[in-house]
Amino acid sequence: MAITKDMAISDIVREYPQTAQVFMAYGMGCLGCAAARFENIEQGAVVHGIDVDALINALNEIVKE
């Protein structure tokens, strides 16, 4: 399954724990905060000023490994 920008951050980290390191590397260190439970990847990326396409690519690369 490919990770998409409309998926919830918490769901992705729960399903693929290795993605936490990608979120952290992109400056999204608040994986345990309340917002991570209801924000999707695109919303979180926008709030943090992150290129969502680059983040999605990195997340999909790490789950392929």
Side-chain angles (χ1 to χ4, degrees), residues 26 36 59:
Y26 273 80
L59 291 167

Side-chain angles (χ1 to χ4, degrees), residues 32-44:
C33 74
R37 284 183 275 217
F38 62 84
E39 273 187 343
N40 65 34
I41 296 171
E42 182 174 36
Q43 291 167 325

Side-chain angles (χ1 to χ4, degrees), residues 20-52:
Q21 65 186 345
V22 174
F23 284 112
M24 299 289 267
Y26 273 80
M28 294 176 70
C30 57
L31 298 175
C33 74
R37 284 183 275 217
F38 62 84
E39 273 187 343
N40 65 34
I41 296 171
E42 182 174 36
Q43 291 167 325
V46 168
V47 167
H48 290 280
I50 297 166
D51 178 347
V52 69

